[in-house]
């Protein structure tokens, strides 16, 4: 049985979207592990294709150059929440996709429609093959990738809270520049033409500004369980 959990509940598809640093990855991973579901970090997929573009000398400022090679890299995501993996052409890129260079270029690459089509196909295929269900987190999961998800959550938090979380993670990086970088990425992701960062009309919004991570996880687990029992 997937993730080692003995379950009898029907498969459930959970979409978790929101801006950077709202807690999507931490929450999704923990909820999936707790409920015996698969887990997919779609941001890691966009980061992986960006890493490949940078590594292959593709001009990130030229959408047509990106589009021309969008189908080339083979991106494989492992969906065990206890040990999620991401490879490009067989190489483990879980570390390199978190560099400042990739973070600063990912919004430009993910805005290219050919890239989105390619990555969306991968995401739908992984969701369809998750036997017990899956938690998929990103920016457009509830609106575009899985519009029929059983439960959609949209996480938010103030820019100040998000910057404080991120600078803690980056070992005390400057709070002001971290906040500016987060906002810049959100603006780019929210304003692209194809499948922008957006809350689905039927998503439940959870403001995590004043919640601990544990409280957010409990809140989402409760929402999933209510969905499963038809409450
Ligand atoms: N409610 C919370 N309270 C305090 N810290 C939190 C909370 N939620 C998440 N964090 C911390 O904030 C940081 C960012 O969280 P996480 O990576 O889960 O966010 P994200 O929305 O997935 O970000 P991104 O979209 O940029 O990948 C992590 O260090 C995480 O431990
Ligand atoms: N569904 C998604 C998920 C992510 N992106 C793009 O990837 C970037 C990195 O995402 P992280 O969650 O790892 O921070 C993000 O800024 C988006 O540009 C996306 O477009 N759609």
């Amino acid at each position: 049985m997937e993730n080692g959990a003995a379950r009898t509940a029907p498969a459930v598809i959970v979409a978790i979207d929101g801006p950077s640093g709202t807690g999507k990855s931490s929450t999704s991973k923990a909820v999936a592990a707790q409920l015996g579901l698969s887990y997919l970090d779609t941001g890691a997929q966009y980061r992986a294709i960006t890493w490949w573009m940078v590594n292959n000398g593709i001009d990130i400022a030229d959408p047509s150059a990106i589009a021309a090679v969008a189908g080339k890299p083979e991106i494989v995501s492992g969906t065990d929440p206890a040990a999620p993996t991401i490879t490009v052409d067989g190489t483990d890129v879980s570390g390199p996709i978190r560099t400042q260079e990739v973070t600063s270029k990912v919004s430009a690459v993910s805005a290219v429609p050919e890239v989105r089509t390619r990555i969306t196909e991968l995401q739908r295929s992984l969701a369809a093959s998750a036997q017990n269900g899956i938690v998929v987190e990103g920016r457009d999961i509830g609106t575009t990738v899985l519009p029929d998800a059983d439960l959609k959550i949209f996480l938010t938090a103030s820019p100040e809270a998000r910057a404080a979380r991120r600078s803690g993670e980056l070992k005390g990086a400057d709070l002001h520049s971290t906040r500016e970088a987060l906002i810049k990425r959100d603006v780019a992701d929210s304003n692209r033409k194809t499948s922008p960062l957006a809350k689905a009309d039927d998503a439940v919004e959870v403001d995590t500004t004043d919640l601990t991570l544990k409280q957010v996880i409990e809140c989402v687990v409760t929402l999933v369980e209510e969905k499963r029992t038809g409450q």
Side-chain angles (χ1 to χ4, degrees), residues 42-43 46-47 106-107 110 116 138-140 185 189 192:
T42 64
Y46 285 104
R47 287 171 178 273
V106 64
S107 292
S110 69
R116 299 209 73 80
R139 304 292 191 288
D140 62 336
R185 194 145 60 94
D189 292 340
R192 66 175 172 237

Side-chain angles (χ1 to χ4, degrees), residues 20-26 139 165-166 169 211-213:
S20 312
T22 49
K24 300 181 299 297
S25 302
S26 325
R139 304 292 191 288
R165 292 172 189 175
R166 271 276 173 257
E169 204 176 45
L211 299 178
T212 63
L213 178 56

Side-chain angles (χ1 to χ4, degrees), residues 3-4 28-30 32-34 37-39 78-85:
N3 300 331
S28 302
K29 235 184 288 183
Q34 211 167 310
L37 308 177
S38 297
Y39 159 69
T79 58
D80 177 351
T85 56

Side-chain angles (χ1 to χ4, degrees), residues 9-169:
V12 63
I13 305 276
V14 181
I16 302 192
D17 291 300
S20 312
T22 49
K24 300 181 299 297
S25 302
S26 325
T27 304
S28 302
K29 235 184 288 183
V31 169
Q34 211 167 310
L35 298 176
L37 308 177
S38 297
Y39 159 69
L40 179 61
D41 176 355
T42 64
Q45 296 176 309
Y46 285 104
R47 287 171 178 273
I49 198 164
T50 302
W51 174 86
W52 184 90
M53 299 283 167
V54 171
N55 240 28
N56 283 276
I58 309 301
D59 181 2
I60 302 298
D62 180 357
S64 61
I66 294 172
V69 294
K72 286 199 170 180
E74 190 199 16
I75 295 165
V76 177
S77 302
T79 58
D80 177 351
T85 56
I86 180 98
T87 62
V88 178
D89 298 330
T91 300
D92 174 8
V93 293
S94 49
I97 62 170
R98 304 287 163 192
T99 60
Q100 187 50 42
E101 182 176 26
V102 170
T103 301
S104 66
K105 292 181 171 161
V106 64
S107 292
V109 174
S110 69
V112 175
E114 288 79 0
V115 168
R116 299 209 73 80
T117 301
R118 171 91 203 291
I119 300 289
T120 298
E121 274 169 18
L122 291 177
Q123 293 161 355
R124 288 183 177 148
S125 149
L126 284 165
S129 62
Q131 286 183 350
N132 295 329
I134 190 165
V135 182
V136 183
E137 53 113 341
R139 304 292 191 288
D140 62 336
I141 310 305
T143 53
T144 303
V145 178
L146 301 168
D148 298 327
D150 299 295
L151 176 65
K152 300 178 187 178
I153 312 269
F154 194 80
L155 295 184
T156 62
S158 70
E160 290 69 30
R162 297 190 285 129
R165 292 172 189 175
R166 271 276 173 257
S167 60
E169 204 176 45

